[in-house]
Amino acid sequence: MALFGTDGVRGLANGPLTAELALTLAQATAVVLGQGRIAEARKAAGKRLTAVIARDPRVSGHFLSAAVEAGLASSGVDVLDAGTLPTPAAAYLIGDIDADFGVMISASHNPAPDNGIKIFARGGVKLPDEVERRIEEAMGGEKLRPIGGDVGRVERFSDAEDRYAIHLLASLPHRLDGLHVVLDCAHGAASGVSPETFRNAGAKVTVIGADPDGININDGYGSTHMGRLAAEVVRTGADVGIAHDGDADRCLAVDATGAFVDGDQIMAILAVAMKRDGRLKNDTLVATVMSNLGLHRAMAAQGITVEQTGVGDRYVLERMGEGGFSLGGEQSGHVIMSRYATTGDGVLTGLHLCAEMARTGRTLADLASVMTVFPQVLINVRGVERSRATDADVLAGVQVAEAALGDSGRVLLRPSGTEQMVRVMVEAASHDDAQRIAEELADIVRG
């Protein structure tokens, strides 16, 4: 089984993800990412390579980051330890100081017992599949063994958070004065930097889920648990609520009534604003096949093209890079603004969403009304071969469903990449229609 998943190496800390594995992975990373023209030129000039490392607040992050630092330093790489910071902060800092690569220790929205290791290349970009494959192969090969003064140093990256916060504030097209924002930090990596930055941008800030103790990350708070945020927005009479996940690469929101605003709606608002200001490259938004039909219709009405990719922010990033596009993301809240970030950035997204509210004087509900969300039903059909998604009887069932829906909905069948499972997704004008058709198709897939 491949070590790398869709977003780095992830698993139960001290289960599959051990300190020994982290150390070996770091050593292999030094071997593979220490190659290339720029790296070789630095080494020829007598300079050691430099890596940035950061982590979310999980208690296991301490021993895993220590293992990664040991693996890198023992391979002759200087390490700048940025401490607890969001994933997008780590990615930004790599480019900001022209580091050779970087590592983020986080399992994102997963529960506290899990952890993960994400590796970024020069510039803070995610690794291509081919480079991940080479790193995995190098784990069984010869390691770099410098001695004496050639071993790497480990130092505290003392101004890491300040650099990131200044970058976020510099990106804003409008201050947030007059807005009351509730932030849910998921007891995660943004618990310090997000409230501070929103306040410095001019907002009145109420904070929940910002007391990390190493084991409460994502536990009842954050973008996967929106109930507390909605209740706090209503209780305090705030204008908007912003939710991050554990490593703060996601942003979801609630309006002043506590109504949920998802990643598709956030992208629609930002796309319209960026097109208006001439900042939406080629008037194009990049989204995955899971984005709501309502997003496509809303963007078409605004003269904005939607390019579709497979599910996963890495595929969105890949297409954005190919086309030079400036905005993309996922329904789940990974929103990528390529002018300012090389990955999804929940703090950046939340700031720009609030800036549009402040600039226009409109409520979030009013801004989100640019898009009508079609009811969406997703059924995971487990225990079936993934190939069932393309069997003749299943495809025939899909054709019947699509004919019944016409232009008022759509069907998507997607085999899981990791399990014996087929996902059946149906959108329709009503939830009842979507539920009925999804159940009928799920029965056919089981059939």
Side-chain angles (χ1 to χ4, degrees):
M1 179 180 289
L3 179 66
F4 286 88
T6 57
D7 199 13
V9 178
R10 192 176 297 186
L12 179 65
N14 262 351
L17 185 55
T18 62
E20 294 85 353
L21 185 147
L23 185 143
T24 305
L25 179 62
Q27 291 174 319
T29 299
V31 170
V32 174
L33 298 188
Q35 302 169 1
R37 179 179 55 83
I38 296 176
E40 294 296 341
R42 288 192 178 182
K43 289 188 285 188
K47 298 179 181 178
R48 291 184 296 275
L49 301 185
T50 301
V52 173
I53 184 168
R55 61 182 182 273
D56 72 24
R58 291 164 214 267
V59 66
S60 60
H62 293 280
F63 77 75
L64 288 172
S65 61
V68 169
E69 289 174 356
L72 295 177
S74 70
S75 302
V77 177
D78 287 344
V79 179
L80 286 173
D81 187 341
T84 301
L85 276 180
T87 292
Y92 166 74
L93 291 165
I94 293 163
D96 189 46
I97 67 166
D98 194 28
D100 295 281
F101 59 93
V103 181
M104 179 70 191
I105 310 296
S106 174
S108 189
H109 59 282
N110 283 28
D114 291 343
N115 218 322
I117 301 174
K118 303 179 186 182
I119 302 168
F120 293 92
R122 180 183 301 279
V125 298
K126 292 190 175 184
L127 299 181
D129 292 341
E130 169 60 19
V131 176
E132 290 182 342
R133 184 189 63 76
R134 287 167 52 204
I135 290 174
E136 190 166 347
E137 289 176 351
M139 291 176 71
E142 289 293 318
K143 307 301 186 296
L144 302 173
R145 304 289 187 188
I147 58 174
D150 292 331
V151 301
R153 280 65 163 167
V154 179
E155 297 180 5
R156 175 75 174 139
F157 196 158
S158 58
D159 63 342
E161 184 172 310
D162 289 341
R163 283 174 177 262
Y164 176 57
I166 291 169
H167 157 68
L168 292 173
L169 291 168
S171 77
L172 276 181
H174 197 282
R175 284 183 56 81
L176 310 186
D177 300 277
L179 278 186
H180 181 183
V181 182
V182 179
L183 294 177
D184 182 348
C185 299
H187 295 307
S191 294
V193 69
S194 185
E196 174 192 359
T197 307
F198 271 84
R199 289 189 181 106
N200 286 339
K204 174 185 176 182
V205 179
T206 299
V207 186
I208 64 173
D211 297 301
D213 61 9
I215 58 174
N216 61 357
I217 188 169
N218 300 315
D219 187 7
Y221 288 86
S223 60
T224 53
H225 305 278
M226 300 286 287
R228 283 190 171 99
L229 177 62
E232 189 67 9
V233 168
V234 173
R235 186 188 72 80
T236 60
D239 299 296
V240 58
I242 299 294
H244 306 309
D245 61 337
D247 70 336
D249 62 355
R250 295 190 191 195
C251 171
L252 295 175
V254 297
D255 67 23
T257 71
F260 180 53
V261 178
D262 69 11
D264 284 343
Q265 293 166 289
I266 292 171
M267 287 192 292
I269 293 167
L270 295 179
V272 170
M274 291 171 67
K275 181 176 186 288
R276 178 196 65 225
D277 297 339
R279 295 182 290 120
L280 188 66
K281 180 68 180 297
N282 293 345
D283 292 343
T284 297
L285 169 68
V286 181
T288 77
V289 294
M290 291 300 291
S291 278
N292 195 273
L293 177 60
L295 177 65
H296 293 263
R297 291 196 171 183
M299 295 299 92
Q302 296 289 329
I304 296 170
T305 300
V306 178
E307 293 220 0
Q308 283 189 303
T309 74
V311 176
D313 64 334
R314 67 185 302 159
Y315 302 113
V316 175
L317 282 160
E318 183 179 281
R319 183 66 194 107
M320 290 178 70
E322 291 169 350
F325 301 123
S326 51
L327 182 65
E330 298 185 283
Q331 190 180 65
S332 60
H334 288 116
V335 177
I336 302 147
M337 306 179 74
S338 62
R339 181 177 178 181
Y340 310 111
T342 58
T343 186
D345 189 330
V347 184
L348 177 76
T349 302
L351 286 166
H352 279 255
L353 179 65
C354 291
E356 181 64 4
M357 293 175 63
R359 192 201 71 83
T360 61
R362 297 169 63 187
T363 66
L364 181 56
D366 188 25
L367 289 172
S369 68
V370 69
M371 171 184 160
T372 299
V373 179
F374 277 61
Q376 187 180 85
V377 172
L378 175 66
I379 297 177
N380 293 324
V381 184
R382 301 181 185 277
V384 299
E385 293 293 329
R386 294 192 288 271
S387 61
R388 278 293 286 160
T390 55
D391 283 355
D393 61 325
V394 174
L395 293 177
V398 169
Q399 284 187 324
V400 171
E402 289 177 333
L405 288 167
D407 62 359
S408 66
R410 68 181 181 120
V411 174
L412 176 66
L413 261 65
R414 187 168 65 90
S416 168
T418 57
E419 301 178 68
Q420 294 298 100
M421 180 170 68
V422 173
R423 307 183 195 277
V424 177
M425 191 274 285
V426 176
E427 290 172 349
S430 74
H431 183 273
D432 288 347
D433 285 344
Q435 186 71 43
R436 174 179 53 80
I437 293 172
E439 289 176 355
E440 290 171 355
L441 286 174
D443 286 342
I444 294 173
V445 172
R446 293 186 189 99

